[in-house]
Amino acid sequence: MSRIYDCADETARKDGLADAASAVRRGDLVVLPTDTVYGIGTDAFSPTAVSRLLATKGRGREMPPPVLVGSMRAATALVDDLGNHGRDLMEEFWPGPLTLVCSATPSLSWDLGDTKGTVGVRMPMDPIALELLKEVGPMAVSSANKSGRPSATRVEEAIEQLGDEDVAVYLDGGETEVRVSSTIVDLTYAVPRVLRAGAISIEQLRSVCGTVIGELRRGRTGTAKADTDGEAQQAEQAQAPRDDAPPEGGDGAQETPKAGRAPEGDES
């Protein structure tokens, strides 16, 4: 039976965070608020726990979850290469609704799924999420919904979809403020590429990076960028991006996407 804590009450919040931290350390699943939507998360370094997270959502290894961190320092320990713009994007938009896909540090002992050597990292702004992350370290976190259904912006919506058998702890932080998933940006290229449009617009990204390639859209080539519940996957075949309508359009830069997958969308 899940334990639900109303974090608007100071005592319940303290007890809930302690319970959630213990649950994460045991490899159990917890649902937590973020600044975008509610997420379901667990210890990023426990392959068994990550597999349980994906099974609870109805996902396979081909859609690995992103990793939430409590500090930029924690993020840099997970990333082998931030590219030319990673540090600037972190300083401008973190904590906040921006997920950065980077080459993962090769020596890490984890198994998030079929990541093709990459990891999506984000530092959320929500104080409850940050407190938990600073206590337990990096967490694999996906949106707190069943695959194909809408992301939860209230804890009641998460409970309705996920139930009280697989999730150990629900942290109720009220309705989320942004209610839009994070923008996902791939930094494994020389030019940043938007894998999924979200709360941070491409204009905001370009104010920091200059050139940014917009989100690929489904066209005659069959290349797709997002599934039915808004969770991103990377294009599986080489196809230069088109110049779509703003704010999600490309800027005309021609570059071939890598084969593989981007992390699941949000989360968060």
Side-chain angles (χ1 to χ4, degrees):
M1 180 70 67
S2 301
R3 300 174 294 281
I4 305 169
Y5 295 90
D6 180 3
C7 294
D9 179 86
E10 193 60 36
T11 300
R13 171 178 170 146
K14 181 178 179 180
D15 292 344
L17 282 166
D19 194 1
S22 296
V24 171
R25 294 188 183 104
R26 292 193 302 269
D28 291 338
L29 304 180
V30 302
V31 165
L32 65 155
T34 76
D35 47 344
T36 54
V37 297
Y38 272 80
I40 178 172
T42 193
D43 181 2
F45 294 96
S46 170
T48 300
V50 173
S51 294
R52 187 179 300 123
L53 185 158
L54 294 174
T56 298
K57 279 184 60 73
R59 282 285 182 198
R61 288 176 52 82
E62 73 279 2
M63 293 295 286
V67 174
L68 297 192
V69 295
S71 67
M72 285 194 286
R73 181 178 180 181
T76 56
L78 306 178
V79 172
D80 185 51
D81 183 10
L82 281 170
N84 297 325
H85 303 288
R87 178 67 64 175
D88 292 339
L89 288 169
M90 286 181 177
E91 291 177 354
E92 180 68 21
F93 298 114
W94 280 14
L98 179 66
T99 300
L100 301 176
V101 178
C102 309
S103 298
T105 300
S107 60
L108 292 174
S109 298
W110 63 4
D111 183 4
L112 298 173
D114 298 333
T115 63
K116 310 300 182 184
T118 64
V119 61
V121 291
R122 183 167 91 85
M123 181 180 175
M125 188 177 291
D126 186 90
I128 297 170
L130 284 175
E131 191 168 346
L132 180 59
L133 289 163
K134 289 175 180 177
E135 177 67 23
V136 302
M139 292 178 60
V141 180
S142 182
S143 51
N145 59 283
K146 289 290 187 179
S147 181
R149 297 188 62 187
S151 299
T153 60
R154 297 182 297 114
V155 75
E156 293 83 2
E157 296 170 350
I159 294 170
E160 179 185 0
Q161 295 192 49
L162 301 176
D164 62 1
E165 293 184 3
D166 296 326
V167 177
V169 175
Y170 285 91
L171 298 176
D172 183 359
E175 190 165 9
T176 59
E177 294 184 3
V178 178
R179 307 179 200 174
V180 178
S181 296
S182 69
T183 300
I184 301 179
V185 176
D186 187 351
L187 298 180
T188 62
Y189 300 89
V191 178
R193 180 190 303 274
V194 176
L195 296 183
R196 184 190 62 205
I200 302 296
S201 71
I202 196 166
E203 286 82 2
Q204 289 175 286
L205 297 171
R206 287 172 177 163
S207 71
V208 175
C209 302
T211 301
V212 177
I213 298 174
E215 182 186 19
L216 292 181
R217 314 301 296 176
R218 182 178 293 277
R220 285 175 292 181
T221 62
T223 301
K225 293 305 294 182
D227 65 16
T228 55
D229 61 358
E231 295 175 342
Q233 62 180 17
Q234 194 170 352
E236 293 181 326
Q237 55 183 301
Q239 172 63 34
R242 303 189 283 111
D243 187 16
D244 289 332
E248 300 175 351
D251 56 7
Q254 301 294 303
E255 192 168 25
T256 301
K258 296 178 182 178
R261 304 280 183 179
E264 254 191 272
D266 271 17
E267 182 241 348
S268 89

